[in-house]
Amino acid sequence: MIELEGLTKHYSDVRAVDHLTFTVRPGIVTGFLGPNGAGKSTTMRMMLDLDNPSSGTVRIDGRHYRELRDPLRVVGALLDAKAMHGGRSAYNHLLCLAQSNGIPKARVREVLDTVGLTSVARKRTKGFSLGMGQRLGIAAALLGDPRILMFDEPVNGLDPEGIHWIRNLMKSLATQGRTVFVSSHLMSEMALTADHLVVIGQGKLLADTSMTDFIKENSRSYVRMRSPEQERLREILRGAGIDVTPGEEGALEVEGEDAAHLGELAARHRITLHELSPRSASLEEAFMRLTAGSVEYHAHENHRPPESPAQSPAGPGAGWGADWRKKGS
Amino acid sequence: MSTPQSQPTPAHSQTQPPNQPAPAQGLPAPGSPAPQAAGSGPGITGPAPAGHGAAVPARPVPQRTPQGPPQGAAPWPGQAPLGGYVSPIPIRKATLADAVAAEWTKIRSIRSTVWTLGSMVLLIVGIGLLAAFVVSATDSTGATQTERVPVLILGIYGTMLSLICVITLGVLTMSSEYGTGLIRTTLTACPDRARVLTAKAIVFFLLTFVTTTVATTLVAVATEGIAGRLGAVPTAGQWLKATVGVSVFMSLVGVLALAVGAMLRHSAGAIAVMLAVVMMPLVLAMFLGVSDLTELRSWLLLYSIPNQLGVFYDVSAGEGPSGWDPLWIMTLVTGAALGGAYLSLAKRDA
Ligand SMILES: Nc1ncnc2c1ncn2[C@@H]1O[C@H](COP(=O)(O)OP(=O)(O)OP(=O)(O)O)[C@@H](O)[C@H]1O
Ligand SMILES: [Mg+2]
């Protein structure tokens, strides 16, 4: 179990992590989400006592990380796939880590086998691909067979087979009763692995909720309608007492109504429909809505205005994110 | 007592839950409360992925209040109180000896170690032998009968030059970890900064000391054999100083470089600083010609590292350090630098 309390980190003028308080529990996979620069890696570094918090504390099973006598037996972490000396072989990289914690040598072969790097164990890591480096990092995390595992963007650079494997690995680690904490940018990825979600933006806690609750609150379903007579359609729907929200590219979105019913309504008023499609908002959209106020690094596309989540404001689904947006900014 | 799982080892020091004050937060009751303690390492055969690619996968999630207030739930019986999982691999406390073993693996497993130490030996032995042959061939040390010193002094050219290798290896031992990001892995595995630094210093010192001792002894014996007839017969003390003394001194300079590498965290920068430390006193002394600075000038000269190295061969530019003094001086300087390196490791973000 990892407990954070009021964890804060300033870098001169940047407040990278801002009063984070949450608990990562054993037996489940906890997803740690946030846009680029949200402070995920910084938080993880502070958990491992690599960076000193400006204020606040982190407790690992009730103790400070520096008090752990054989830390690799308690916490296994993958922070950065490149955190190794390129001139050293994969085997020796793991061997020195094992030795520093009094872990039996045989364990090195075991984890190399687990991550599938046995055939390149004697090769220097300089020549490793990103995914191979990532696998070696995962091997290092598993080395001490720890109760707590921390992965910073583990799927980074992995091939589909590797992604599939790490997903199952994380789930089975949690099933064994371990604490599994994994960061990601991808909501869809987390939806497949995580049982619990912690979302941060600009260093602040945006959500700390179970995956089921998040899905329940955010899987908004609606019907998308498009017509050459958009204005008339809107009037008619309003007239029928139906709430309409403007959707993407001038479409209309209607929540809580049956597509068949809407189609019949349009037919009755002789309105041509170009589109009538039932949809459900993806979790990715929900995540973007949630972190909308705290995304620091936007890409700028030249051809089309950014798909701002602000285009789907209000409505029952957005209320949740909107609430946080107020707090976030 | 019968616990659900029988552990081969006393897993963690805090084994018994009931009278242990539970940590601040309530413990969860995970939906899947059966940690397979007796199983092998981390399981790699997990459940099949739920809904591969499905937008909204419906999966069983442990029953839990999401951000529930601390529930005073007691740890389930027979479990380590704080984690959920207990590893079957025996646990023992890591010690400084473990850290030393790890650092030994690190230093011997990269090629730059072999290269720098190899060229160091080549410089010491090669230049030493060359000097001995030249002196022997010209049949003169340039000294008059009365002021004859042992020809052991011919080793100084090689040792002086090879300081560069020692410095490079010393700096790299520490700064390469910062350059590659390995330092984070190292400190995660061993959060005790003092232990990491001590282990590195011990391993580096011993390795350098053994190598230099072999090289300097080789040169000392060879020069005596080749050109010994031209110099005074060295005393036991002179033998010892020209071999072990020089080697300890050089290794200490290397540890100083290691400490500087830890403080600067930048290979090229730290090597430049160390070369300046070695060379600057001589350079400065040349420019401080003004008469009222003569005291400072001679002090700089006497305590410069090359001159201190000369003390071990019984050549020195005047009063100032003599005998084994350079060792004590260098020990103090290196100790202070290690203190600084420790503070830097302990206080700054890795
Ligand atoms: N060593 C540092 N010095 C100064 N600023 C830093 C440092 N490390 C991180 N930051 C800043 O802290 C903020 C959080 O960075 P962090 O790397 O934790 O984000 P992240 O959530 O991991 O992002 P990503 O998803 O891109 O990995 C950023 O604004 C970053 O610029
Ligand atoms: Mg990051």
Side-chain angles (χ1 to χ4, degrees):
Chain A
M1 180 155 69
I2 315 170
E3 293 153 293
L4 279 73
E5 218 178 294
L7 197 65
T8 303
K9 179 75 183 176
H10 300 274
Y11 287 114
S12 54
D13 54 337
V14 190
R15 198 180 285 182
V17 175
D18 197 355
H19 289 94
L20 282 190
T21 302
F22 63 86
T23 302
V24 188
R25 299 175 178 82
I28 52 171
V29 177
T30 302
F32 191 36
L33 271 110
N36 287 135
K40 301 181 295 295
S41 301
T42 307
T43 304
M44 288 179 145
R45 284 202 302 275
M46 285 192 286
M47 286 175 166
L48 298 170
D49 201 12
L50 293 170
D51 285 13
N52 304 304
S54 306
S55 66
T57 53
V58 180
R59 306 224 152 262
I60 310 282
D61 282 351
R63 282 184 296 172
H64 191 249
Y65 192 86
R66 229 170 262 210
E67 293 161 17
L68 301 177
R69 287 284 136 250
D70 27 33
L72 291 188
R73 307 306 313 274
V74 181
V75 183
L78 164 78
L79 282 192
D80 181 358
K82 287 165 295 173
M84 53 193 68
H85 191 296
R88 201 168 280 128
S89 71
Y91 177 83
N92 281 324
H93 175 71
L94 293 176
L95 178 63
C96 68
L97 288 178
Q99 284 174 323
S100 72
N101 275 244
I103 297 166
K105 252 187 200 173
R107 187 73 193 143
V108 173
R109 290 255 162 244
E110 249 174 73
V111 291
L112 276 170
D113 200 46
T114 304
V115 302
L117 288 181
T118 307
S119 60
V120 290
R122 295 287 173 181
K123 293 247 160 61
R124 292 193 288 164
T125 60
K126 201 179 289 176
F128 278 18
S129 69
L130 177 58
M132 287 160 83
Q134 201 78 352
R135 281 167 189 263
L136 184 54
I138 293 166
L142 297 176
L143 195 59
D145 198 17
R147 296 175 255 156
I148 299 175
L149 285 132
M150 242 183 242
F151 300 105
D152 195 1
E153 285 164 46
V155 299
N156 207 355
L158 289 184
D159 51 25
E161 188 267 335
I163 293 176
H164 190 116
W165 164 73
I166 185 98
R167 250 183 232 152
N168 289 341
L169 176 70
M170 289 192 292
K171 278 190 265 184
S172 65
L173 289 171
T175 312
Q176 291 167 342
R178 306 186 214 227
T179 305
V180 182
F181 188 56
V182 51
S183 85
S184 176
H185 308 113
L186 297 178
M187 187 68 220
S188 51
E189 180 58 38
M190 286 298 98
L192 292 173
T193 25
D195 306 299
H196 195 86
L197 269 188
V198 173
V199 184
I200 64 168
Q202 287 183 344
K204 293 189 187 69
L205 189 70
L206 297 184
D208 180 359
T209 169
S210 77
M211 196 71 218
T212 14
D213 286 356
F214 186 85
I215 291 171
K216 214 187 304 164
E217 292 190 49
N218 289 284
S219 53
R220 184 174 74 103
S221 53
Y222 59 95
V223 178
R224 197 154 103 146
M225 301 179 80
R226 211 192 293 270
S227 161
E229 303 161 87
Q230 203 82 331
E231 277 315 306
R232 240 190 91 210
L233 177 62
R234 192 198 303 266
E235 293 303 309
I236 287 161
L237 290 171
R238 285 234 180 88
I242 296 168
D243 269 347
V244 183
T245 8
E248 285 160 29
E249 293 158 33
L252 298 178
E253 290 177 6
V254 177
E255 262 181 78
E257 291 291 334
D258 191 32
H261 172 69
L262 294 171
E264 283 159 14
L265 190 68
R268 234 177 290 139
H269 291 85
R270 295 178 177 282
I271 289 187
T272 313
L273 287 184
H274 285 175
E275 180 180 354
L276 176 68
S277 55
R279 296 177 168 250
S280 62
S282 72
L283 290 174
E284 211 66 62
E285 282 166 18
F287 171 60
M288 278 168 43
R289 206 154 9 131
L290 181 59
T291 55
S294 57
V295 172
E296 280 175 87
Y297 309 103
H298 291 284
H300 294 288
E301 283 180 65
N302 294 326
H303 311 298
R304 143 178 109 89
E307 246 175 56
S308 156
Q311 279 178 323
S312 51
W320 193 58
D323 179 40
W324 283 109
R325 211 176 306 143
K326 255 182 281 151
K327 289 192 190 177
S329 50
Chain B
M1 87 178 197
S2 67
T3 51
Q5 289 113 20
S6 53
Q7 281 306 310
T9 45
H12 314 294
S13 46
Q14 3 80 307
T15 8
Q16 252 344 289
N19 40 14
Q20 172 136 351
Q25 294 299 308
L27 282 154
S32 40
Q36 312 152 358
S40 62
I44 38 172
T45 51
H52 202 158
V56 181
R59 287 179 306 105
V61 168
Q63 285 311 302
R64 204 173 3 78
T65 45
Q67 204 179 355
Q71 319 148 0
W76 55 98
Q79 282 297 306
L82 297 171
Y85 173 81
V86 181
S87 167
I89 301 171
I91 290 185
R92 68 170 174 78
K93 250 180 206 167
T95 60
L96 177 64
D98 293 318
V100 168
E103 290 304 332
W104 170 241
T105 301
K106 270 189 204 169
I107 207 165
R108 72 173 169 76
S109 61
I110 44 175
R111 289 188 193 172
S112 61
T113 308
V114 181
W115 282 112
T116 40
L117 287 181
S119 38
M120 183 190 80
V121 171
L122 269 183
L123 281 176
I124 295 179
V125 176
I127 296 181
L129 288 184
L130 192 70
F133 278 124
V134 167
V135 166
S136 171
T138 55
D139 211 40
S140 163
T141 54
T144 62
Q145 284 299 59
T146 43
E147 57 183 31
R148 283 208 322 184
V149 293
V151 288
L152 291 178
I153 191 182
L154 296 173
I156 196 172
Y157 308 109
T159 48
M160 198 96 85
L161 257 179
S162 69
L163 265 182
I164 295 174
C165 302
V166 177
I167 286 172
T168 307
L169 185 61
V171 164
L172 283 181
T173 299
M174 202 68 215
S175 65
S176 74
E177 292 219 5
Y178 282 97
T180 56
L182 175 62
I183 189 71
R184 290 197 174 135
T185 313
T186 301
L187 292 180
T188 307
C190 180
D192 184 344
R193 271 65 171 163
R195 186 188 291 175
V196 170
L197 193 63
T198 312
K200 272 193 188 298
I202 289 175
V203 167
F204 172 81
F205 182 87
L206 288 181
L207 179 62
T208 314
F209 172 70
V210 169
T211 320
T212 25
T213 305
V214 168
T216 49
T217 307
L218 215 76
V219 164
V221 172
T223 31
E224 269 310 309
I226 295 164
R229 67 204 144 82
L230 299 172
V233 177
T235 63
Q238 282 170 323
W239 272 108
L240 200 63
K241 280 202 285 183
T243 54
V244 176
V246 167
S247 302
V248 175
F249 183 80
M250 286 176 62
S251 308
L252 282 174
V253 173
V255 177
L256 175 65
L258 183 148
V260 170
M263 286 187 274
L264 297 187
R265 304 182 171 189
H266 188 277
S267 305
I271 291 175
V273 165
M274 277 308 295
L275 289 182
V277 166
V278 173
M279 297 308 201
M280 275 321 259
L282 293 180
V283 176
L284 276 181
M286 278 195 285
F287 288 102
L288 291 175
V290 201
S291 58
D292 49 14
L293 284 173
T294 41
E295 202 146 303
L296 174 62
R297 183 167 173 267
S298 68
W299 189 90
L300 278 176
L301 272 176
L302 287 175
Y303 287 90
S304 69
I305 285 177
N307 195 59
Q308 293 204 55
L309 192 63
V311 172
F312 288 102
Y313 297 98
D314 280 338
V315 281
S316 171
E319 57 269 31
S322 64
W324 293 84
D325 288 352
L327 276 199
W328 320 139
I329 296 170
M330 198 42 71
T331 306
L332 282 180
V333 172
T334 305
L338 279 177
Y342 169 73
L343 284 183
S344 167
L345 269 169
K347 301 284 171 228
R348 285 168 63 191
D349 293 345

